[in-house]
């Protein structure tokens, strides 16, 4: 995916998104279908629902973990991910949980969400991201070590079909 001549980041289409969902679902299924999917609000909710349907998982929860301070290309990040209403996860005691987000930039949002899900009692926690932006990555482990399932790796911003360009 390349930046357009006018500097606009590439936009992923629905065909690419559904193909990514199918590919990630196959990988998850090969490892075992989770009991619960957790979508990271806002962007991770649509991918979580797509995966829930592909995996026939009916329990989908959400949690708001924000690391950017605004929408838009290369938005400024807060010092640490901010959590709103962690109780929205409910009781996950003993559950196999798949956390889903649309994009992993620094990796901090998913790392924080893993902590929240474990605090809620999950027995097993995995992560899935449709896009990993390695240009912003700053976790000590490489993306392939820190994240369980990655749809595609890019070096830069992308626009999803549910976002405004």
């Amino acid at each position: 995916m390349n930046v357009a001549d006018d500097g606009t980041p590439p936009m992923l289409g629905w065909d690419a998104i559904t193909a990514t969902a199918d590919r990630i679902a196959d990988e998850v299924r090969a490892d075992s279908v989770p009991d619960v999917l957790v979508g990271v609000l806002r962007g991770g909710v649509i991918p979580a629902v797509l995966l829930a349907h592909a995996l026939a998982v009916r329990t989908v929860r959400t949690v708001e973990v924000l690391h950017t301070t605004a929408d838009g290309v290369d938005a400024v990040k807060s010092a640490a991910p901010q959590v709103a209403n962690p109780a929205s996860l409910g009781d996950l005691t003993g559950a196999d949980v798949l956390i889903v987000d649309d994009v992993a930039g620094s990796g901090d949002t998913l790392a924080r969400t893993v902590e929240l899900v474990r605090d809620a009692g999950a027995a097993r926690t995995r992560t899935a991201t449709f896009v990993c932006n390695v240009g912003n990555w700053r976790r000590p482990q490489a993306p392939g070590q820190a994240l369980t399932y990655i749809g595609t790796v890019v070096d830069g911003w992308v626009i999803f079909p549910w976002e405004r360009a």
Side-chain angles (χ1 to χ4, degrees), residues 62-75:
T62 61
V63 66
E64 185 176 357
V65 182
L66 295 174
H67 200 21
T68 54
T69 59
D71 292 332
V73 176
D74 295 321

Side-chain angles (χ1 to χ4, degrees), residues 59-123:
T59 305
V60 179
R61 299 189 184 162
T62 61
V63 66
E64 185 176 357
V65 182
L66 295 174
H67 200 21
T68 54
T69 59
D71 292 332
V73 176
D74 295 321
V76 174
K77 294 189 182 303
S78 58
Q82 304 301 304
V83 179
N85 193 17
S88 66
L89 290 171
D91 182 9
L92 297 173
T93 301
D96 179 348
V97 178
L98 178 62
I99 300 166
V100 183
D101 207 353
D102 57 349
V103 63
S106 66
D108 293 346
T109 298
L110 280 169
R112 180 66 178 113
T113 307
V114 166
E115 292 172 3
L116 294 169
V117 167
R118 288 181 178 156
D119 289 348

Side-chain angles (χ1 to χ4, degrees), residues 7 10-11 15 20-21 43 52 74-75 77 83 92 94 98 107 110 122 125 127 129 135 143 146 151 156 160-161 163:
M11 181 168 201
D15 289 344
T20 299
D74 295 321
K77 294 189 182 303
V83 179
L92 297 173
L98 178 62
L110 280 169
T125 305
T127 59
T129 186
F160 293 92
E163 297 178 312

Side-chain angles (χ1 to χ4, degrees), residues 5 9 11 46 80 105 118 138 150 163:
D5 291 337
M11 181 168 201
I46 293 169
R118 288 181 178 156
R138 66 176 194 207
I150 300 171
E163 297 178 312

